[in-house]
């Protein structure tokens, strides 16, 4: 149900962009909506992160995956169970760059009435392929927002197209991105357990990203657009001297509208794991609860009455009853 | 806010990365590389309208390459005249590499590997 809803939503978005471009609402779809989307993205991102920053962490809750720092002769797992900030940074880097937690993914089967566990790396592979290629595709698009195009952007493009298949040359990341996103979608559809917990909020970003990738690939290899005019438009956006040249194909406006929706939707969705991974108390705390006391920030202020104060108050009475005191006066 | 310093620093770095194209281009005016000299619906060799040539010339060249290299068909007749399907003797007979090819390719960050083999008279042999 959620899947159909999400698919229909993306199809409606494509139809909106298609009809908008056909109706020649190019200023709206080429300038106003992209600007609005970037504004919503930045403002929404800041708002969300500030909100997370203001949330107290009542308990010290790092997830631990290895031996805690203990006695000197017990081997400490300093990256899986970090006890210092440096360890936390290392663990976070491994998680963000290499998806270490997905690498630990297991599959469970019953064999002769016993549960047996086996390695299952497909989710890790699909996920890292998807994220890495997405970043490269994102960086490659800087050629539309920089003039002159920096050498390093051209170098990435050349490395990406080094197979030199066809003209314009086939970019590996585009193909891998689409394949990986499709795998992540099929996994949700065909894995019964994952399907059971999947919501429209899980399907929609996948369909949206697949829509963005498909429209981009169509535009590059099949339904050509005048790329010089496209860059005139995008440079107009980047320099705030907006211009909408005539004669860019409709497919470009579909691509641009879908990516605008992606940016505007980003801060309100699961896609915020981009910022959220750094703000997860389960990952950004060092497991030093034996060494450092974690104070719940909303604990009420307790009025303490120490033994010294107690003795000061009752010293005379205690002495007269023969109860020993620590200080005589 | 808890750990405000670290969070704000991270946010500032993130926003600086995301808005990179805006402030690096601040105040620049972008020159269009070229306008079409001919009407977009005027036909070019190969019976493609000139407006379409801009987006699809690479596919035409690819097709011609196969026809020449694999089929041995070196010439195309267009409007009664015979033209050679060749970059050096065909395209570059009328168009200038630097002015005509290079301007748009540089603008769009396209590095066609045509020039790995082909050269132009204006540049001579490398």
């Amino acid at each position: 149900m959620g899947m159909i809803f999400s698919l229909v939503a993306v199809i409606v978005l494509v139809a909106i962009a298609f009809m908008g471009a056909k109706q020649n609402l190019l200023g709206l779809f080429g300038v106003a909506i992209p600007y609005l989307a970037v504004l919503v993205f930045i403002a929404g991102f800041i708002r969300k992160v500030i909100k997370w920053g203001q949330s107290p962490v009542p308990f010290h809750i790092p997830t631990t995956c290895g031996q805690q720092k203990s006695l000197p002769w017990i081997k400490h797992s300093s990256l899986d169970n970090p006890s210092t900030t440096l360890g936390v940074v290392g663990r976070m880097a491994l998680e963000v760059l290499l998806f270490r937690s997905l690498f630990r993914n297991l599959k469970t089967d019953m064999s002769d009435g016993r549960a047996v566990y086996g390695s299952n790396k497909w989710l890790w592979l699909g996920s890292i392929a998807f994220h890495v290629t997405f970043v490269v595709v994102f960086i490659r698009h800087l050629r539309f927002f920089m003039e002159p195009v920096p050498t390093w952007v051209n170098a990435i493009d050349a490395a990406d197209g080094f197979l030199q298949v066809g003209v314009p040359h086939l970019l590996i990341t585009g193909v891998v991105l689409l394949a990986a996103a499709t795998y992540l979608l099929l996994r949700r559809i065909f894995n019964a357990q994952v399907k059971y917990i999947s919501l429209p909020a899980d399907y929609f970003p996948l369909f949206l990203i697949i829509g963005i990738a498909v429209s981009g690939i169509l535009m590059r290899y099949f339904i050509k657009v005048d790329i010089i005019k496209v860059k005139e438009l995008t440079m107009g956006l980047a320099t705030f001297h907006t211009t909408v040249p005539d004669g860019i194909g409709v497919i470009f406006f579909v691509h641009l509208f879908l990516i605008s929706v992606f940016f505007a939707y980003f801060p309100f969705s699961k896609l915020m794991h981009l910022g959220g991974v750094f703000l997860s108390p389960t990952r950004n705390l060092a497991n030093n609860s034996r060494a450092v006391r974690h104070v719940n920030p909303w604990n009420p202020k307790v009025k303490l009455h120490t033994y010294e104060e107690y003795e000061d108050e009752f010293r005379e009475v205690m002495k007269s009853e023969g109860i020993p005191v620590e200080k005589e006066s | 806010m808890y750990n405000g310093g670290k969070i704000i620093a991270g946010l500032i770095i993130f926003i600086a990365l995301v808005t990179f194209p805006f402030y690096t281009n601040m105040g620049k005016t972008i020159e269009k590389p070229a306008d079409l000299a001919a009407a977009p619906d005027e036909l070019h060799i190969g019976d493609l309208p000139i407006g379409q040539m801009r987006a699809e010339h690479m596919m035409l060249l690819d097709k011609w390459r196969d026809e020449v290299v694999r089929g041995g068909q070196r010439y195309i007749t267009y409007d009664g005249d015979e033209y050679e399907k060749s970059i050096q003797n065909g395209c570059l007979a009328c168009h200038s590499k630097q002015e005509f090819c290079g301007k748009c390719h540089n603008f769009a960050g396209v590095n066609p590997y045509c020039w790995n083999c082909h050269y132009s008279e204006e540049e001579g042999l490398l």
Side-chain angles (χ1 to χ4, degrees):
Chain A
M1 205 41 226
M3 184 172 54
I4 304 293
F5 174 80
S6 305
L7 179 60
V8 170
V10 173
I11 291 171
V12 168
L13 290 174
V14 172
I16 289 172
F18 189 82
M19 290 191 305
K22 282 280 181 209
Q23 293 294 314
N24 240 16
L25 299 170
L26 303 185
L28 179 65
F29 283 88
V31 177
I33 291 176
Y35 270 143
L36 196 65
V38 170
L39 267 179
V40 170
F41 173 74
I42 292 175
F45 200 101
I46 292 174
R47 200 192 71 139
K48 197 84 166 190
V49 169
I50 298 286
K51 196 179 150 208
W52 283 335
Q54 286 169 338
S55 309
V57 179
F59 300 109
H60 191 252
I61 51 166
T63 45
T64 58
C65 312
Q67 172 61 48
Q68 181 177 14
K69 185 169 173 58
S70 179
L71 298 167
W73 46 270
I74 297 177
K75 194 161 182 259
H76 172 214
S77 176
S78 59
L79 282 170
D80 285 326
N81 197 335
S83 61
T84 59
T85 306
L86 189 67
V88 169
V89 170
R91 180 193 192 189
M92 187 67 88
L94 285 174
E95 181 61 25
V96 169
L97 300 174
L98 301 174
F99 300 1
R100 192 171 165 87
S101 64
L102 289 184
F103 203 71
R104 261 191 277 269
N105 190 30
L106 295 176
K107 63 168 180 280
T108 314
D109 273 321
M110 291 301 278
S111 164
D112 295 332
R114 289 186 311 137
V116 289
Y117 302 94
S119 165
N120 187 5
K121 305 278 186 249
W122 288 107
L123 176 59
W124 173 81
L125 184 67
S127 190
I128 200 156
F130 170 76
H131 284 85
V132 169
T133 52
F134 201 111
V135 169
V136 176
V137 169
F138 189 82
I139 293 171
R140 274 204 281 103
H141 276 75
L142 279 178
R143 76 183 172 112
F144 295 109
F145 296 95
M146 310 278 286
E147 177 54 35
V149 183
T151 323
W152 58 273
V153 174
N154 280 332
I156 290 174
D157 194 273
D160 201 346
F162 92 109
L163 294 179
Q164 297 199 341
V165 175
V167 280
H169 56 236
L170 181 77
L171 294 167
I172 300 164
T173 51
V175 178
V176 175
L177 173 65
L178 184 58
T182 307
Y183 163 72
L184 293 175
L185 176 67
L186 293 178
R187 176 182 157 270
R188 283 200 184 277
I189 296 173
F190 290 110
N191 184 326
Q193 290 95 329
V194 181
K195 187 174 185 192
Y196 185 73
I197 58 165
S198 293
L199 297 169
D202 298 309
Y203 292 113
F204 178 71
L206 279 171
F207 280 121
L208 189 62
I209 289 165
I210 290 172
I212 291 165
V214 167
S215 60
I217 287 171
L218 279 178
M219 183 159 48
R220 180 175 171 89
Y221 305 104
F222 302 103
I223 313 169
K224 306 283 188 180
V225 295
D226 187 336
I227 211 74
I228 302 302
K229 287 179 182 165
V230 169
K231 185 157 181 183
E232 281 170 28
L233 187 148
T234 53
M235 285 310 294
L237 293 176
T239 55
F240 298 106
H241 296 288
T242 57
T243 162
V244 186
D246 286 332
I248 304 178
V250 171
I251 182 88
F252 169 73
F253 291 96
V254 173
H255 188 66
L256 187 61
F257 183 64
L258 290 181
I259 199 73
S260 300
V261 170
F262 176 83
F263 270 103
Y265 174 69
F266 199 101
F268 311 101
S269 68
K270 66 184 287 194
L271 301 171
M272 266 309 281
H273 67 272
L274 170 64
V277 66
F278 298 104
L279 285 122
S280 303
T282 51
R283 289 191 187 288
N284 65 15
L285 290 173
N287 186 20
N288 53 5
S289 53
R290 288 177 174 183
V292 181
R293 182 168 178 236
H294 182 88
V295 180
N296 179 359
W298 75 58
N299 275 351
K301 193 103 181 114
V302 177
K303 195 175 178 303
L304 296 171
H305 193 228
T306 61
Y307 179 72
E308 283 79 12
E309 288 163 2
Y310 172 87
E311 205 181 80
D312 286 345
E313 198 178 336
F314 297 107
R315 181 167 293 112
E316 294 315 313
V317 188
M318 290 165 80
K319 272 158 94 176
S320 66
E321 291 299 318
I323 298 171
V325 290
E326 289 189 348
K327 281 199 290 185
E328 285 302 323
S329 57
Chain B
M1 201 148 144
Y2 307 95
N3 290 315
K6 285 182 203 163
I7 293 175
I8 301 287
L11 260 184
I12 289 172
I13 292 170
F14 177 72
I15 301 299
L17 282 175
V18 170
T19 53
F20 174 64
F22 291 114
Y23 58 80
T24 48
N25 286 310
M26 197 58 85
K28 275 193 201 168
T29 42
I30 300 306
E31 255 181 73
K32 284 196 275 184
D35 276 315
L36 283 180
D41 49 359
E42 197 179 307
L43 291 185
H44 187 270
I45 301 168
D47 283 330
L48 271 179
I50 281 178
Q52 234 164 300
M53 252 332 246
R54 251 193 168 182
E56 294 178 13
H57 62 277
M58 73 296 283
M59 297 164 90
L60 188 71
L61 292 176
D62 199 36
K63 189 171 140 249
W64 282 356
R65 180 184 65 179
D66 287 351
E67 286 169 4
V68 170
V69 175
R70 298 183 189 160
Q73 303 157 345
R74 288 197 163 270
Y75 296 92
I76 184 168
T77 311
Y78 175 74
D79 206 13
D81 293 323
E82 203 169 58
Y83 294 91
E84 192 175 349
K85 295 175 192 166
S86 152
I87 288 184
Q88 275 127 278
N89 306 328
C91 306
L92 296 181
C94 304
H95 302 300
S96 144
K97 181 189 164 187
Q98 297 294 352
E99 285 297 304
F100 189 81
C101 307
K103 266 191 173 175
C104 289
H105 286 158
N106 290 340
F107 184 66
V110 175
N111 296 300
Y113 43 89
C114 308
W115 314 115
N116 292 4
C117 308
H118 296 281
Y119 77 101
S120 65
E121 295 280 338
E122 54 190 305
E123 288 177 348
L125 281 167
L126 292 172

